[in-house]
Amino acid sequence: MRILHTSDWHLGRAFHRVNMLDAQSEFIGHLVATVREHAVDAVVVAGDVYDRAVPPLAAVELFDDALHRLADLGVPTVMISGNHDSARRLGVGAGLIDRAGIHLRTEPSACGTPVVLADAHGDVAFYGLPYLEPALVKDEFAVERAGHETVLAAAMDRVRADLAARPPGTRSVVLAHAFVTGGEPSDSERDITVGGVAAVPAGVFDGVDYVALGHLHGCQTITGRVRYSGSPLAYSFSEADHRKSMWLVDLAADGTVTAERLDCPVPRPLARLRGTLDDLLADPALTPHEDAWVEATLTDPVRPADPMARLTDRFPHTLSLVFDPDRAPDDPDVSYARRLAGRTDRQIAEDFVAHVRGAGPDEHELAVLGEAFDAVRADGVVREVAR
């Protein structure tokens, strides 16, 4: 069976205030053309179809268009909800849409109930594990501790139990939206850390033939059977070096997996430039980036006059301007933002305790801080889903 694995469309998302709807529409057209050209048997979309729980109307219309075009192909499609989606909204009409060959899997309780497709070699069971917010699904999976690994492990226990009851030789594909150990994140993914832990081990998914992952925006291979497709478009300058693509996966009769990367259309290349303003304006080596979307980091010791206007004379698509003067780390003028760069909210809170008291928090206080931050994050998820 030939499977096209994609994820993280983030319909409705902008790129530094640039409307990406046309680029997202172009990707949908590319997806449909790829299915035809490569004789794909099934499409899987591993979450974050939308960029937020209540997407703008234009994004909903594009999703509606995508559903119609995929249904017209007559090629089954399996989709799950991600942490950016509202599972309830995305799943509206799932039973009716199911009849058109578009299978929306947004309910955690249905993790062990697959979409079963067949080819010349027998059945392939597709299990959809939507994003499982630990605080919201711990009761469904009867776990004592609300953590990503515990709820995913419980969901996979249901998958393996269902698979064991199926005829011998049934192949299996799992769609999941999670941060798996070994994956490389970027700046554009929403933090899903619980209890100071964001990642789950790949071994959680043992026992199935292929795992189609979503959440991380870089296309990457965790193991030969566990892969991220990444987002089809770049959504932050941290993705400047990404090669945006989809996985074309061939699942053999014995469950053996082979995979090929298929490139996605690039609306405009990204460039991250760093140096003094005069150097950026004069350096001939930067000529290839004049048509790119640019993030410029200026290292001038003193902020120059009209930097954005001067930059856009040479790089008309400059979208982000950052000031990072070349100074020693202990220089009192080093900015607060620079001192905090790369540190989590919890680490900042721990540093604050140490600064005020002269000693960092003890084990009990660390646990209280962790529970507080987890509670705030979970409350934010509940509020967004309820909107």
Side-chain angles (χ1 to χ4, degrees):
M1 182 170 287
R2 175 162 283 184
I3 301 162
L4 187 63
H5 168 198
T6 179
S7 73
D8 295 273
W9 294 358
H10 288 279
L11 300 182
R13 187 165 186 161
F15 181 75
H16 287 267
R17 301 177 303 281
V18 174
N19 190 317
M20 296 293 284
L21 207 64
D22 287 344
Q24 291 169 340
S25 179
E26 183 180 359
F27 162 70
I28 297 299
H30 171 73
L31 173 70
V32 171
T34 299
V35 171
R36 289 198 186 101
E37 179 184 350
H38 292 274
V40 169
D41 298 307
V43 177
V44 296
V45 186
D48 281 354
V49 175
Y50 290 123
D51 187 56
R52 55 182 185 266
V54 185
L57 178 59
V60 177
E61 290 173 339
L62 180 55
F63 179 58
D64 181 65
D65 178 63
L67 291 181
H68 279 85
R69 295 173 74 177
L70 288 168
D72 287 344
L73 291 172
V75 175
T77 299
V78 184
M79 296 183 175
I80 60 172
S81 50
N83 61 300
H84 280 251
D85 299 308
S86 165
R88 292 170 62 187
R89 284 186 172 85
L90 188 64
V92 168
L96 189 61
I97 296 170
D98 195 79
R99 300 178 192 176
I102 308 294
H103 308 283
L104 297 174
R105 292 295 181 263
T106 64
E107 289 293 331
S109 60
C111 285
T113 305
V115 176
V116 180
L117 306 177
D119 64 8
H121 305 291
D123 288 346
V124 180
F126 288 78
Y127 296 90
L129 277 57
Y131 172 66
L132 302 174
E133 169 56 47
L136 302 182
V137 301
K138 62 184 181 67
D139 292 338
E140 166 64 34
F141 293 105
V143 296
E144 292 183 6
R145 289 193 59 198
H148 288 296
E149 183 175 352
T150 53
V151 297
L152 270 172
M156 283 301 301
D157 285 344
R158 294 188 185 183
V159 168
R160 285 184 283 264
D162 179 86
L163 189 59
R166 295 189 175 273
T170 300
R171 289 158 290 162
S172 53
V173 175
V174 164
L175 289 72
H177 198 86
F179 186 175
V180 175
T181 303
E184 290 292 331
S186 62
D187 292 343
S188 50
E189 298 119 6
R190 183 179 295 168
D191 182 26
I192 59 171
T193 301
V194 174
V197 179
V200 300
V204 165
F205 299 103
D206 285 350
V208 297
D209 294 310
Y210 183 71
V211 181
L213 292 174
H215 180 57
L216 300 186
H217 287 187
C219 181
Q220 49 201 296
T221 299
I222 304 300
T223 73
R225 297 180 180 274
V226 181
R227 299 172 187 265
Y228 283 99
S229 67
S231 61
L233 296 166
Y235 292 113
S236 74
F237 278 103
S238 66
E239 301 171 51
D241 295 329
H242 286 188
R243 174 187 162 197
K244 295 302 183 181
S245 55
M246 301 177 286
W247 286 112
L248 186 67
V249 177
D250 284 314
L251 187 61
D254 62 355
T256 301
V257 170
T258 56
E260 175 188 359
R261 286 181 71 176
L262 302 180
D263 291 331
C264 294
V266 178
R268 190 179 295 280
L270 308 185
R272 304 184 93 175
L273 310 181
R274 181 183 178 89
T276 66
L277 180 58
D278 287 342
D279 286 346
L280 296 184
L281 296 179
D283 189 349
L286 302 182
T287 299
H289 302 307
E290 290 178 353
D291 195 44
W293 279 322
V294 168
E295 177 187 72
T297 299
L298 300 185
T299 61
D300 301 74
V302 177
R303 185 178 299 228
D306 299 323
M308 182 60 89
R310 294 165 66 187
L311 275 169
T312 53
D313 281 342
R314 182 179 186 188
F315 306 103
H317 304 288
T318 301
L319 299 180
S320 176
L321 183 58
V322 180
F323 293 97
D324 187 17
D326 282 334
R327 293 173 177 153
D330 57 353
D331 189 314
D333 290 330
V334 171
S335 72
Y336 178 71
R338 185 175 174 184
R339 293 198 302 273
L340 297 185
R343 301 188 67 73
T344 66
D345 289 344
R346 180 172 170 175
Q347 289 171 328
I348 293 168
E350 292 169 8
D351 289 347
F352 176 76
V353 172
H355 173 74
V356 171
R357 197 170 60 188
D362 60 27
E363 289 187 10
H364 172 71
E365 291 166 333
L366 285 172
V368 171
L369 280 173
E371 290 171 4
F373 279 108
D374 288 347
V376 169
R377 190 190 57 80
D379 183 64
V381 172
V382 172
R383 289 174 182 272
E384 185 168 358
V385 170
R387 287 172 60 194

